[in-house]
């Protein structure tokens, strides 16, 4: 089969795919079978082919007459097809289908660069549509792009907690630079019951900066009953506070407790 026949077959089959009636296809096949190629081409609906596939161009295997026919039809119908594609893309843009709109406006601009459409595209109304298509394509492309990721959230600065205040130092008799507290009131309760033999104990107290007793502890016990009485009394003792360079300070003091037998009355 010659190249010319093959070209006719290709056009016939392409036309069949784009909806040409079966009677026309059969007639065209009968004609090219009998070598009536020009008549077969006359049956083909070239305009329908171009309308359904605007980018289709016949191969060089076809005769110049066929190729010229296609070019003539394309020059005539492409401006209408371009305007239709523009309206479809604009509709997608209005529906906020931005990805489809960007693709549609791209097809419009690509079709305007077709050699058979260049002449029409360089004058109104297509020249005006080109300007609009470029603008809408840029807008649709921007709108279709995913939003930029949010900037990273800066971690809050690490704020070191202020150091815990050191508890006030408690001075003792070992601190020679400290003036010891002076007794204002320091009395022990009487021992309950009879004292047969002497008893000794020791109470440790902490005197605060105001001269009050802050804490008490029985370091050496006298007796369980007397210890409770002595500790209760010690909480009420009062002093002129110890000082360091004239400033009141805390002071730990040991108080000796001595219980002596009481002789018979004379």
């Amino acid at each position: 089969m010659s190249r010319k026949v093959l070209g006719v077959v290709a056009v016939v089959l392409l036309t069949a795919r784009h909806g040409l009636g079966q009677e026309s296809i059969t007639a065209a096949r009968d004609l090219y079978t009998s070598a009536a190629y020009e008549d077969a081409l006359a049956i083909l609906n070239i305009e329908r082919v171009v309308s359904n596939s605007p980018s289709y161009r016949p191969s060089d295997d076809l005769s110049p007459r066929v190729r010229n026919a296609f070019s003539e039809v394309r020059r005539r119908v492409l401006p209408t097809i371009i305007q239709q594609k523009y309206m479809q893309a604009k509709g997608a843009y209005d529906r906020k289908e931005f990805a489809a709109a960007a693709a549609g406006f791209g097809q419009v601009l690509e079709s305007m660069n077709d050699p058979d459409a260049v002449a029409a595209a360089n004058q109104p109304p297509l020249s005006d549509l080109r300007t609009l298509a470029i603008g809408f394509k840029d807008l649709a492309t921007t709108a279709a792009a995913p939003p930029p990721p949010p900037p990273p959230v800066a971690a809050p600065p690490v704020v070191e907690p202020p150091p815990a205040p050191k508890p006030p130092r408690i001075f003792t008799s070992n601190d020679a630079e400290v003036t010891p507290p002076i007794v204002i009131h320091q009395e022990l309760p009487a021992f309950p019951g009879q004292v047969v033999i002497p008893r000794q104990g020791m109470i440790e107290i902490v005197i605060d900066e105001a001269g009050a007793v802050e804490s008490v502890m029985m370091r050496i016990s006298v007796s369980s009953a007397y210890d409770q009485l002595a500790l209760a009394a010690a909480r009420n003792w009062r002093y002129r506070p110890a000082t360091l360079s004239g400033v009141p300070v805390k002071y730990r003091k040991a108080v000796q407790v001595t219980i002596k037998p009481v002789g018979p009355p004379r």
Side-chain angles (χ1 to χ4, degrees):
M1 186 179 292
S2 69
R3 287 189 175 183
K4 186 173 184 180
V5 173
L6 288 174
V8 174
V9 172
V11 175
V12 171
L13 294 179
L14 177 65
T15 306
R17 287 201 301 270
H18 290 285
L20 191 65
Q22 184 61 40
E23 293 181 0
S24 297
I25 297 299
T26 302
R29 286 173 176 170
D30 292 342
L31 287 170
Y32 85 72
T33 300
S34 62
Y37 305 122
E38 302 300 335
D39 293 336
L41 291 173
I43 293 177
L44 301 178
N45 190 341
I46 296 177
E47 182 170 337
R48 180 173 297 179
V49 173
V50 175
S51 297
N52 288 312
S53 295
S55 61
Y56 172 76
R57 303 181 68 84
S59 67
D60 294 338
D61 293 338
L62 296 182
S63 67
R65 177 180 176 181
V66 174
R67 294 199 302 272
N68 290 337
F70 265 97
S71 294
E72 180 180 350
V73 171
R74 295 182 85 249
R75 284 192 294 271
R76 178 165 48 85
V77 301
L78 279 180
T80 300
I81 293 175
I82 291 172
Q83 294 181 64
Q84 292 172 348
K85 286 184 175 293
Y86 173 85
M87 294 306 297
Q88 293 170 357
K90 183 60 167 57
Y93 183 89
D94 293 339
R95 295 190 300 273
K96 301 186 183 305
E97 298 170 1
F98 297 117
F105 288 122
Q107 292 175 3
V108 169
L109 296 172
E110 183 179 356
S111 297
M112 288 184 178
N113 292 327
D114 189 290
D116 291 329
V118 169
N122 288 333
Q123 57 186 351
L126 293 189
S127 60
D128 297 331
L129 284 186
R130 184 196 299 274
T131 302
L132 293 174
I134 292 173
F136 279 119
K137 181 178 182 293
D138 292 341
L139 292 174
T141 300
T142 301
V153 178
V158 178
V159 179
E160 296 291 339
K166 294 181 179 180
R169 178 182 172 185
I170 301 177
F171 295 90
T172 67
S173 59
N174 294 327
D175 298 300
E177 72 277 16
V178 175
T179 302
I182 299 173
V183 175
I184 296 176
H185 171 71
Q186 181 180 294
E187 293 184 358
L188 286 167
F191 188 83
Q194 186 177 3
V195 179
V196 178
I197 59 175
R199 295 172 180 266
Q200 288 190 339
M202 181 177 292
I203 300 175
E204 182 181 280
I205 62 174
V206 174
I207 303 168
D208 65 15
E209 296 89 342
V213 175
E214 184 176 90
S215 64
V216 297
M217 179 182 296
M218 203 74 189
R219 284 295 184 185
I220 301 175
S221 174
V222 176
S223 72
S224 58
Y226 186 77
D227 290 350
Q228 297 302 318
L229 295 175
L231 292 175
R235 291 187 179 93
N236 295 315
W237 292 348
R238 291 294 180 268
Y239 301 84
R240 185 175 299 167
T243 58
L244 174 64
S245 300
V247 179
V249 294
K250 291 181 182 291
Y251 194 89
R252 180 176 284 108
K253 175 182 175 69
V255 178
Q256 184 78 35
V257 179
T258 302
I259 305 298
K260 299 180 180 179
V262 180
R266 298 180 180 177

